[in-house]
Amino acid sequence: MDIKVIIRGVEDSTGLREFAETKLAGAIERFEDRVLSATVRLEDETGPTKHGVDKVCHVEVRLRTGETRIKEVGEDFRATIDVAMDRLKAALSREAGRAKRGVGEG
């Protein structure tokens, strides 16, 4: 499985990459057999000098049965990552349930 964390527009990314990797690993651990690759993109849209709701966390997970994408925006990267990973777990759980029931198969 290929896992990437890409960080843009953040001056002090120390610990942020490790935090994102840890959270991503925790979110996909139950579904590792279905996941082909996972990418997290963290971006501060207005740069480090301006504050506000501008921290973006994009998560893309390629599965054997398709793809799941999550976008979360917030004021703090760690909180934004937490919410995005919770949403990812829910989405992967739904996808696993659909695959188990055979929903969407023609």
Side-chain angles (χ1 to χ4, degrees):
M1 173 183 2
D2 184 29
I3 294 178
K4 294 179 190 174
V5 176
I6 301 166
I7 301 174
R8 293 186 184 143
V10 179
E11 278 185 355
D12 186 20
S13 62
T14 307
L16 193 57
R17 180 180 309 278
E18 186 177 321
F19 180 79
E21 288 173 349
T22 301
K23 287 293 188 172
L24 179 61
I28 63 175
E29 70 181 337
R30 278 185 45 213
F31 310 100
E32 284 183 7
D33 59 328
R34 301 171 195 269
V35 176
L36 300 175
S37 67
T39 303
V40 176
R41 287 184 180 85
L42 303 173
E43 185 174 2
D44 189 342
E45 290 183 330
T46 58
T49 58
K50 294 188 178 184
H51 301 285
V53 183
D54 62 345
K55 312 300 190 274
V56 182
C57 177
H58 293 276
V59 183
E60 291 182 26
V61 178
R62 285 189 43 231
L63 306 166
R64 296 186 191 284
T65 57
E67 188 173 75
T68 298
R69 294 180 183 180
I70 304 290
K71 178 182 177 183
E72 191 63 39
V73 181
E75 292 183 22
D76 175 61
F77 271 121
R78 292 182 189 273
T80 304
I81 292 167
D82 276 337
V83 173
M85 294 308 154
D86 287 345
R87 290 180 56 205
L88 177 62
K89 282 188 227 177
L92 292 175
S93 183
R94 282 191 306 272
E95 182 64 33
R98 282 188 204 114
K100 187 175 182 179
R101 292 187 311 269
V103 175
E105 294 180 8

